[in-house]
Amino acid sequence: PDRDSQGRGSRAYWHARILEKLDRPGEAIPIYTNLLEHEAGSYYSALVLSRFPELSKTETMVEGVSIQTASVKSDASKAASQVPGALTFVHDLNQLGLHEAALLQLRSVDMGKLATDPNAVELASRLAWEAGDFRPSPVALRLAGTSVTNPPNNWWKLRQHQSVYPDQWRNYYPIAYEKIVDTFAQEAEIDKYWLLSIMRAESYYNRDARSWVGATGLMQLMPYTAKRISEELNESQLSRSDLADPLKNIGYGAYYFKRLLSYYSNSAVLAIAAYNAGPIAV
């Protein structure tokens, strides 16, 4: 039986692996391709793409639309003249560097009245990001609707979908703490989108997140793991409050993920699994 509650495609994946072991790759590849056609968001599709990246390029057109990777770069600020009246004060507070006050003001805005204007909701998200809050707002999520929260199950249609709805995807998966993430991703020589993905899955961009087992901060570091990292880096004694600091938390998370990548022969899928469940489990 399928022991993994999110194991869509697990039987098919292991069937194909068995066929590979039996030296029948011609029968295995169609199974892997079928997984990409019907289970694009599953763990096993990620495994397929990590082992056979060339399969992601087997289709270049979907329903007559050329597939292009959507740009995730966005302007951090808008001119004051473009800001709806209800958000003008939030914009001005951000411009003055008063980010905590800006977030308080933003939370007082009746977003329900802005919900009919997708541009206003997108701008509200960007103002929140400028103030350091990257959690998607309920209104932004509601407006995204099925366009993002229920994306296609076909890998190639999913890539097309990201090109057609780039703004919704940016709101749902913001580039959080970009300068910090860029710095540590370059230092560790890893793709910054792995760090952003871990951060979103582990804490939903909540710097104050703490799990029932004690994992802390954006990258949900266990205290004993963080302590071991601080000792390896010869840093001063680490306190739990230090782990709430995005600079420290993301830096330690990047360092730990790099260690796992090295241990698992640069397999990002195994490193991600070990980051969440622990190396012993993996």
Side-chain angles (χ1 to χ4, degrees):
D2 192 343
R3 296 172 59 200
D4 184 351
S5 62
Q6 293 182 328
R8 292 170 295 141
S10 61
R11 293 189 185 97
Y13 177 83
W14 290 111
H15 179 199
R17 287 297 298 269
I18 290 169
L19 290 170
E20 283 190 73
K21 289 288 185 181
L22 294 174
D23 199 24
R24 293 155 62 184
E27 296 176 59
I29 294 299
I31 295 176
Y32 292 140
T33 303
N34 190 61
L35 270 174
L36 297 180
E37 288 176 351
H38 300 289
E39 302 290 353
S42 75
Y43 171 78
Y44 292 96
S45 287
L47 271 179
V48 169
L49 288 170
S50 72
R51 296 185 62 235
F52 302 99
E54 66 275 11
L55 291 182
S56 70
K57 302 168 186 173
T58 56
E59 290 189 19
T60 57
M61 298 284 290
V62 176
E63 296 176 357
V65 179
S66 176
I67 296 173
Q68 297 177 342
T69 303
S71 170
V72 293
K73 273 286 187 183
S74 57
D75 294 331
S77 181
K78 300 259 185 176
S81 61
Q82 295 177 282
V83 180
L87 298 175
T88 301
F89 191 30
V90 181
H91 174 273
D92 293 343
L93 289 169
N94 269 338
Q95 292 298 299
L96 292 171
L98 302 174
H99 299 309
E100 289 189 14
L103 285 176
L104 286 173
Q105 179 65 24
L106 185 59
R107 293 185 186 116
S108 72
V109 172
D110 184 357
M111 292 300 296
K113 293 182 179 178
L114 300 179
T116 56
D117 182 359
N119 293 326
V121 175
E122 180 184 351
L123 179 56
S125 294
R126 296 185 190 286
L127 290 172
W129 301 345
E130 288 179 2
D133 185 354
F134 294 91
R135 291 169 293 179
S137 73
V139 172
L141 296 181
R142 188 168 72 247
L143 278 183
T146 57
S147 65
V148 173
T149 54
N150 292 300
N153 285 326
N154 177 288
W155 168 252
W156 300 278
K157 288 184 179 180
L158 179 63
R159 293 177 63 196
Q160 175 195 339
H161 192 277
Q162 292 168 338
S163 296
V164 174
Y165 299 102
D167 291 337
Q168 287 91 329
W169 281 91
R170 276 195 289 264
N171 279 334
Y172 204 48
Y173 296 95
I175 309 300
Y177 302 97
E178 186 168 16
K179 290 182 179 179
I180 298 176
V181 169
D182 281 348
T183 296
F184 288 114
Q186 292 174 17
E187 187 175 297
E189 298 180 321
I190 55 181
D191 191 327
K192 73 176 184 179
Y193 294 106
W194 283 119
L195 296 184
L196 289 163
S197 298
I198 293 172
M199 193 188 308
R200 187 184 190 282
E202 293 285 350
S203 70
Y204 212 48
Y205 312 119
N206 180 5
R207 59 190 293 175
D208 299 316
R210 182 173 299 177
S211 75
W212 66 275
V213 294
T216 301
L218 292 164
M219 302 288 286
Q220 286 292 277
L221 291 165
M222 293 297 290
Y224 60 82
T225 301
K227 183 175 184 297
R228 193 167 70 246
I229 293 172
S230 69
E231 292 171 352
E232 290 180 10
L233 296 176
N234 295 316
E235 294 190 349
S236 57
Q237 189 172 3
L238 185 75
S239 68
R240 187 177 288 272
S241 61
D242 289 335
L243 290 181
D245 178 4
L247 189 66
K248 181 76 72 176
N249 198 281
I250 295 172
Y252 276 23
Y255 178 88
Y256 182 47
F257 183 55
K258 178 65 173 180
R259 289 284 302 273
L260 292 170
L261 275 173
S262 177
Y263 182 77
Y264 290 106
S265 303
N266 214 37
S267 169
V269 174
L270 292 179
I272 287 283
Y275 189 102
N276 178 264
I280 294 175
V282 172

